[in-house]
Amino acid sequence: MTEPAITPELVAKHNLTPEEYAHAQEILGRVPTYTELGIFSVMWSEHCSYKNTKPLLKTFPTKSPKILVGAGEENAGIIDIGDGIAIAFKIESHNHPSAVEPFQGATTGVGGIVRDIFTMGARPVCAVNSLRFGELTDPAVRRLFSGVVSGIAHYGNCFGIPTIAGEVYFDKTYAGNPLVNAFCLGVLRHEQITRGAAKGVGNPVFYVGPATGRDGLAGAAFASQDLTEESAEQQRGAVQVGDPFMEKLVCEACLELLATGAVAGMQDMGAAGLTCSTCEMAARAGTGIEIELDKVPQRAANMSSYELMLSESQERMLIVVHKGREEEVKRIFDKWDLPWAEIGIITDTGHMKVRHGGKLVVDIPAKKIADESPVYHREAVEPAYIKEVQAFRLDGIADTTVPADVLKKLLAFPSIASKNWVYRQYDHQVRDGSVVLPGSDAAVIRIKSDSLPVMSAELESKVAGTQVPEKLIAMTVDCNGGYVYLDPYEGAKVAVAEACRNLACTGALPLGATDNLNMPSPLKPELFWQIKESVRGLADGCKAFNAPVTGGNCSLYNQNPAGPIDPTPTISVVGLIEKPEHVTTQWFKDEGDAIILLGDAVEATPVQGLGGSAYLQVIHGKKTGAPPRCDLETAKTLHTTLIGLIQSGLVKSAHDCSEGGLAVALAESCIGQLIARDTPRLIGAQIALTPLTPSLSPSDGERVAKPGEGNVRLDALLFGETQSRVIISCKALDAVKVVERAKLMGVPAVQIGKVGGDQLTVKTASGEFSAPLPELHDAWWNSIARAMA
């Protein structure tokens, strides 16, 4: 096949700037081949190199005594959870592919993150996702939404992994550019950690998995450019095609092979396919690698070097084997009926060399291409809209006079409504480890003995006679993109605080975090400012909660001709629950229990916690105002106090207040529990908020002590989204003790009602309203299903 001449136009089509191309020529000392040009294009894309975000990512907290594999070291981070057991976890995006081909884009997003986990030597035990779409009134959005959810369900269900938690938001900012973030968590013993390094000069290199095709060609480069109708159509072939049954075989075979001790290094062929796995493994080990493309299994005839190196065909692994152990590899993969091929060897040259048809088509210094991509320090300028947002006041916004009607509308708002239409398509109980299922603040999974990968004979002998106690791992994923748009720093802090608050409500202490920066173009100073401030907020939040970042993903250029998305720095936090009796859910439990609010009722600012709220969006059609402030010390004190109360056995339920405010949180505590597949458990509550009317000074936003002079708005009290608040329930006899303990710890606390009845009744200084639970449940439970009908 004749290769095209390298012209400035061809270089530009590969998304390389003239300066980057000149740097590539400098590295090579010559003009690159067409295949080498493609390799530079994908390896120096934002998706693979993080060239625009590396300086920002260095500000994340990444150290902890529990971290065994840290951020940037390998395909996923690993954290010690005690007794010689560790967890590996990571989140990644598949946004652009899902916009073009929603089903396959989502399936391969799940498949890719699952491979990132078992390539570390861990057995994948659960999956989580974070999704963003436009408004469901748009037929195109409904098609994308349905396709993505079907794709996630297909891959997870067929692979046999429970999809146990997630979040879904709907906002017109994501129309045409949905966000599909996939998370996976796996389990392993410390001794089973596998590195993705091409160690051992002379060791053979094996290709394992299905044959390489033309699907997924240059997908990493596609993910690193603006999404337009033209680019989507041109790059439809950049969307990979997944086979979960094949991936299950590859996973089991790889874990069995690792137990033999024959593996010197292993990595999946994810973004940039064979290119990324070869050069990254060599770069990590400081070695070289040579491969023969003629030996690579090929699905299509006459594939070029360019296609073979840049294809992102799925379910493929690259394995470096200790010399002399080749037969074990062949035996195991033959047993699992999997294709394999010995395609290369580890060298001491430091170069990635690729031969095809008897010719040397690639010769690039591995470390230069993998670790020394261009790094940019972009200009950041605060956008003009920020001043307008900060200046917004509630003057002219009428206070609510029909709170019961507002509550029903908010419960039916798709971003707040039950996501059962989504998670009922997922198998969230396969392998019998799920403890808290989707629908509560955080999911919980049991780490059992059969969760661990198969052990080598040596390791079995070492641990013989020891019993590993079951571990309880909680996880959640959070981000309110609207908050981040209105104030990137505060919004990102809120994302971390809410994730950690969800863990605290479940009885868990944070262990670590993984982030997915879903952002627009870094090339515009106003948009890069959003990215920079978001990272600053995530970093400060993770430092405050001792939740070091173990890895993640940067997905930039999330925009289309209609404009950029709201910056959405999704954060997933994983925590550990010490004892089974500490596991807590959000639903009220028993008639007569006391209901207590931990935290301030209303934020003492001019917008009283209504800035950026669902209430302003749904009732008044406005996305503006300074979002709720997040004081990290206040949040940390609340979490510590709540965990202490849970561990002392005093708390029967706990639910954080977030979107929709106090009234929505109360309603969800009444209607959220299922006692059978289609049977809700509805339990009412009588609430009195009359003592919760602190006076506020609208001028400076500070609390003022003027008894009897309350000026808190009713909509702010009921639907404001003031941060660091949790609703808990406890035995009536324990209520005074709980309130006093909280206050001693410095957390505002007040009993606001009791559990019981068949309605949610709320009394305020403005009057009283009641809402029948069946009506609230119907609005909340069926909203998305009705929109999709």
Side-chain angles (χ1 to χ4, degrees):
M1 182 178 291
T2 304
E3 293 192 344
I6 309 299
T7 64
E9 292 75 22
L10 188 64
V11 171
K13 282 184 179 179
H14 282 75
N15 289 325
L16 290 171
T17 67
E19 294 77 16
E20 289 171 344
Y21 178 65
H23 184 38
Q25 284 185 296
E26 182 183 348
I27 289 172
L28 296 174
R30 55 177 168 79
V31 173
T33 66
Y34 180 51
T35 303
E36 288 172 333
L37 179 66
I39 288 173
F40 277 103
S41 171
V42 294
M43 290 305 296
W44 286 1
S45 68
E46 182 65 34
H47 190 81
C48 289
S49 73
Y50 300 161
K51 60 189 176 186
N52 290 293
T53 50
K54 267 183 182 176
L56 304 181
L57 301 180
K58 289 179 180 178
T59 65
F60 280 147
T62 57
K63 304 297 182 184
S64 159
K66 293 184 179 295
I67 290 184
L68 304 178
V69 177
E73 292 182 35
E74 294 286 347
N75 294 280
I78 298 182
I79 290 184
D80 174 31
I81 59 171
D83 298 297
I85 307 302
I87 52 174
F89 59 89
K90 189 183 181 185
I91 191 169
E92 281 210 344
S93 64
H94 234 220
N95 302 337
H96 282 25
S98 299
V100 176
E101 293 283 356
F103 181 86
Q104 291 297 348
T107 64
T108 51
V110 175
I113 198 65
V114 169
R115 284 196 305 280
D116 277 341
I117 298 307
F118 72 72
T119 195
M120 300 300 302
R123 176 175 293 284
V125 294
C126 66
V128 173
N129 56 71
S130 173
L131 312 176
R132 301 289 191 285
F133 300 93
E135 296 172 323
L136 284 177
T137 51
D138 183 345
V141 169
R142 294 198 296 272
R143 180 186 67 82
L144 287 172
F145 179 40
S146 178
V148 165
V149 171
S150 295
I152 291 171
H154 170 72
Y155 210 96
N157 294 355
C158 294
F159 182 86
I161 186 172
T163 302
I164 196 170
E167 60 167 1
V168 191
Y169 281 79
F170 301 91
D171 191 286
K172 61 184 179 182
T173 187
Y174 304 109
N177 198 133
L179 303 184
V180 178
N181 295 176
F183 165 103
C184 185
L185 181 142
V187 188
L188 73 170
R189 294 180 182 273
H190 293 190
E191 296 88 346
Q192 294 175 309
I193 295 173
T194 302
R195 298 283 183 168
K199 293 181 179 178
V201 174
N203 280 339
V205 177
F206 275 76
Y207 170 116
V208 174
T212 297
R214 292 190 172 99
D215 56 312
L217 192 62
F222 171 47
S224 304
Q225 57 183 288
D226 291 356
L227 185 62
T228 65
E229 286 188 19
E230 183 183 4
S231 72
E233 190 57 41
Q234 288 175 347
Q235 296 295 335
R236 198 166 296 277
V239 180
Q240 308 91 335
V241 178
D243 181 349
F245 298 109
M246 177 66 76
E247 178 129 319
K248 178 64 173 175
L249 297 177
V250 172
C251 175
E252 295 301 332
C254 286
L255 293 179
E256 183 176 334
L257 178 63
L258 289 171
T260 67
V263 175
M266 181 169 73
Q267 179 158 318
D268 77 303
M269 297 185 212
L274 194 53
T275 287
C276 191
S277 54
T278 50
C279 66
E280 283 190 350
M281 289 183 76
R284 288 193 190 108
T287 58
I289 187 168
E290 290 191 14
I291 60 172
E292 293 274 356
L293 292 183
D294 293 312
K295 297 181 179 179
V296 171
Q298 299 173 36
R299 193 185 312 153
N302 302 316
M303 289 187 70
S304 68
S305 309
Y306 183 99
E307 291 169 332
L308 288 165
M309 289 303 295
L310 272 62
S311 168
E312 294 181 11
S313 293
Q314 295 292 285
E315 292 87 39
R316 301 177 302 158
M317 306 292 289
L318 197 71
I319 303 176
V320 178
V321 177
H322 290 296
K323 190 171 179 59
R325 308 287 297 272
E326 294 90 341
E327 292 307 313
E328 292 169 82
V329 179
K330 298 172 185 177
R331 174 182 57 80
I332 288 172
F333 285 100
D334 282 344
K335 167 191 166 183
W336 288 95
D337 197 23
L338 286 169
W340 58 264
E342 188 175 340
I343 66 167
I345 192 168
I346 303 305
T347 69
D348 61 0
T349 64
H351 281 234
M352 175 177 73
K353 294 186 178 183
V354 180
R355 300 181 189 278
H356 192 202
K359 297 180 181 179
L360 182 65
V361 294
V362 173
D363 185 358
I364 303 176
K367 200 160 187 64
K368 292 283 185 182
I369 188 71
D371 298 339
E372 299 182 23
S373 67
V375 175
Y376 297 107
H377 298 264
R378 299 293 184 188
E379 181 186 5
V381 176
E382 182 179 289
Y385 77 83
I386 292 292
K387 288 185 173 57
E388 182 182 337
V389 164
Q390 297 293 329
F392 172 79
R393 295 295 180 268
L394 297 171
D395 305 334
I397 303 292
D399 200 347
T400 184
T401 57
V402 284
D405 291 345
V406 171
L407 177 58
K408 290 175 190 174
K409 288 180 180 178
L410 287 176
L411 287 171
F413 180 44
S415 291
I416 290 176
S418 169
K419 306 306 184 295
N420 71 87
W421 184 89
V422 175
Y423 65 70
R424 286 169 67 158
Q425 296 184 51
Y426 305 153
D427 187 335
H428 42 264
Q429 291 178 287
V430 63
R431 293 187 59 82
D432 194 33
S434 306
V435 176
V436 177
L437 304 178
S440 196
D441 284 331
V444 180
I445 194 164
R446 256 183 321 144
I447 305 302
K448 308 172 293 176
S449 58
D450 68 353
S451 302
L452 293 162
V454 59
M455 290 184 286
S456 66
E458 181 183 356
L459 185 54
E460 276 190 9
S461 174
K462 179 180 176 182
V463 301
T466 63
Q467 181 141 5
V468 178
E470 288 189 349
K471 304 286 184 179
L472 293 165
I473 301 296
M475 65 209 77
T476 187
V477 59
D478 284 288
C479 184
N480 184 320
Y483 286 177
V484 183
Y485 167 75
L486 297 170
D487 188 329
Y489 177 67
E490 288 294 331
K493 282 197 301 180
V494 166
V496 179
E498 183 177 350
C500 293
R501 190 164 66 245
N502 285 333
L503 293 186
C505 287
T506 311
L509 285 168
L511 289 170
T514 176
D515 72 286
N516 207 130
L517 298 180
N518 303 280
M519 296 291 174
S521 171
L523 305 181
K524 295 182 179 180
E526 293 81 5
L527 298 180
F528 188 72
W529 181 84
Q530 294 178 338
I531 301 172
K532 186 176 182 180
E533 287 296 287
S534 297
V535 170
R536 185 166 71 94
L538 290 184
D540 285 354
C542 289
K543 288 172 189 171
F545 295 109
N546 297 317
V549 176
T550 64
N553 175 239
C554 294
S555 174
L556 308 190
Y557 302 97
N558 285 289
Q559 56 194 58
N560 56 44
I565 65 162
D566 286 348
T568 310
T570 303
I571 189 86
S572 181
V573 184
V574 176
L576 182 67
I577 301 176
E578 288 188 2
K579 298 178 180 179
E581 56 267 30
H582 297 165
V583 175
T584 308
T585 54
Q586 71 182 45
W587 308 293
F588 293 145
K589 300 300 186 294
D590 298 299
E591 299 260 348
D593 284 348
I595 301 171
I596 294 168
L597 173 65
L598 300 179
D600 285 324
V602 179
E603 179 178 275
T605 62
V607 291
Q608 301 182 24
L610 285 172
S613 65
Y615 170 77
L616 276 189
Q617 290 184 61
V618 175
I619 305 303
H620 296 284
K622 295 181 181 294
K623 183 162 69 174
T624 188
R629 304 294 89 183
C630 179
D631 183 276
L632 294 172
E633 281 303 314
T634 299
K636 190 173 181 180
T637 301
L638 170 70
H639 300 181
T640 303
T641 301
L642 177 57
I643 290 288
L645 291 170
I646 288 173
Q647 291 180 346
S648 67
L650 294 171
V651 176
K652 297 177 78 172
S653 74
H655 185 25
D656 86 308
C657 296
S658 54
E659 285 89 352
L662 183 60
V664 164
L666 287 166
E668 289 172 338
S669 300
C670 293
I671 64 177
Q673 186 176 17
L674 284 179
I675 54 177
R677 177 173 170 80
D678 294 302
T679 308
R681 178 177 182 263
L682 306 180
I683 184 166
Q686 286 82 51
I687 306 297
L689 300 180
T690 47
L692 303 183
T693 52
S695 294
L696 306 175
S697 169
S699 60
D700 60 13
E702 294 180 357
R703 191 179 300 282
V704 290
K706 294 182 181 178
E709 188 182 323
N711 60 0
V712 171
R713 293 170 58 110
L714 180 60
D715 52 9
L717 178 63
L718 295 175
F719 309 115
E721 297 174 6
T722 297
Q723 291 296 294
S724 297
R725 296 184 301 168
V726 172
I727 295 167
I728 64 173
S729 67
C730 64
K731 292 179 182 177
L733 291 175
D734 291 333
V736 172
K737 185 191 302 183
V738 168
V739 168
E740 290 306 313
R741 284 195 184 185
K743 288 181 176 178
L744 282 172
M745 293 293 292
V747 175
V750 60
Q751 182 175 347
I752 60 172
K754 66 178 182 178
V755 176
D758 59 0
Q759 298 192 90
L760 173 60
T761 301
V762 181
K763 183 178 181 182
T764 70
S766 304
E768 180 177 299
F769 73 89
S770 293
L773 297 184
E775 290 183 15
L776 296 182
H777 182 268
D778 179 64
W780 175 76
W781 184 260
N782 295 312
S783 175
I784 291 178
R786 286 181 179 131
M788 295 300 292

